[in-house]
Amino acid sequence: MTIALLPAPLPVAMPLLVAVPLLGAVMGSFLATAALRGAYGESLLHPPSHCRGCGRRLNAIDLLPILGYALRRGRCTDCGTPIPALFPLAETAGLLIGLSTLWQFAGADLLAALLFGLLLLAIALRDSRDFTIPDILSYGLILSGLGATAWLKPALLPEHALAALLGGGLLALLAWGYKRLRGRDGMGWGDVKLLAGIGAWMGLHSLPMVVLLAALGGIAQAVWQSRGKPQATMMIPLGSWLGIAAWLLYVGQP
Ligand SMILES: [Zn+2]
């Protein structure tokens, strides 16, 4: 008997095999720009992409996902200012989201999964910068999750709607209880809306594992950042870990 760790990939058309991972990487680059500009309170569209050190406008080579960073050795060619590591990280994550989506989904499911993955990436990137999850992303996640379920698995809509309510409600209760107990905020409302969105996309049965994995990730980060002496007041981007955990489980379980 053989035990398959991963299900066999679904057959996909050749152009999709290139287009989906490439789209993921390009979107990763765009979402990293959005996260950085959002955290600085800047406009997303103006000015065009430029070096933060000298203002040099980025050209086609600079903007190549992953390769641009490697070819420039992580620095601006004019002034040597380091390119934020968030870019190659986000581009690689986008590429992996594209590849894992192709591996597990086809047709309309593939489109929906790609949207879910990229929304989670946008949320994870922004939360990692300034512990903020913009409402447009969290509400967008809830609405698109319910919409995708209604479209693709209508019989599961009541369960997914309940998961959104319970997921959000559970974190809201935890956030409220922590604040009463400690007198300070332990969790952001963005995380509450994010877990509601994850519930809308993934349903009830996935929520406990998503929360557990995300908590383990957050604890591991706190231990690593504090060199083994984590403090209760440390800021950890729970939203980033919820996003990573949700995606791993979404593509990991058929
Ligand atoms: Zn420069």
Side-chain angles (χ1 to χ4, degrees):
M1 193 179 83
T2 55
I3 297 168
L5 286 177
L6 280 172
L10 293 165
V12 275
M14 217 38 200
L16 275 186
L17 216 55
V18 178
V20 173
L22 186 67
L23 175 73
V26 170
M27 282 304 292
S29 182
F30 169 74
L31 295 175
T33 305
L36 285 169
R37 289 189 179 198
Y40 288 126
E42 296 169 356
S43 155
L44 180 55
L45 299 174
H46 297 284
S49 294
H50 59 281
C51 164
R52 284 198 175 268
C54 65
R56 178 178 70 89
R57 189 96 169 249
L58 302 190
N59 59 28
I61 293 178
D62 297 302
L63 292 172
L64 277 176
I66 305 169
L67 284 179
Y69 185 85
L71 288 170
R72 299 304 195 205
R73 292 167 197 272
R75 288 179 179 278
C76 169
T77 46
D78 279 14
C79 70
T81 297
I83 301 166
L86 194 69
F87 282 99
L89 192 83
E91 289 155 5
T92 307
L95 181 82
L96 292 175
I97 287 171
L99 287 172
S100 50
T101 305
L102 275 177
W103 190 277
Q104 276 287 29
F105 303 99
D109 288 321
L110 188 150
L111 272 183
L114 203 56
L115 174 67
F116 183 40
L118 292 175
L119 274 171
L120 289 177
L121 180 61
I123 288 169
L125 290 171
R126 179 64 194 273
D127 200 34
S128 77
R129 300 316 296 178
D130 65 347
F131 307 99
T132 300
I133 301 174
D135 275 346
I136 190 166
L137 293 177
S138 54
Y139 285 128
L141 195 74
I142 297 172
L143 289 178
S144 59
L146 294 176
T149 308
W151 178 36
L152 298 167
K153 301 169 210 149
L156 294 181
L157 186 58
E159 188 223 307
H160 283 228
L162 183 66
L165 275 176
L166 285 182
L170 173 81
L171 277 201
L173 203 67
L174 275 177
W176 176 79
Y178 187 91
K179 186 154 190 186
R180 273 200 68 123
L181 209 66
R182 297 287 176 94
R184 62 167 186 266
D185 283 321
M187 200 185 303
W189 288 104
D191 298 322
V192 170
K193 288 174 254 175
L194 168 58
L195 194 63
I198 291 171
W201 274 94
M202 297 178 66
L204 268 181
H205 64 283
S206 307
L207 284 182
M209 204 57 188
V210 169
V211 173
L212 179 69
L213 263 186
L216 288 177
I219 291 168
Q221 183 189 352
V223 169
W224 179 69
Q225 265 183 4
S226 62
R227 294 165 200 265
K229 296 189 185 83
Q231 305 288 321
T233 48
M234 281 182 78
M235 294 274 282
I236 297 294
L238 181 64
S240 304
W241 287 108
L242 283 170
I244 293 168
W247 186 252
L248 289 179
L249 290 167
Y250 191 71
V251 290
Q253 52 192 13

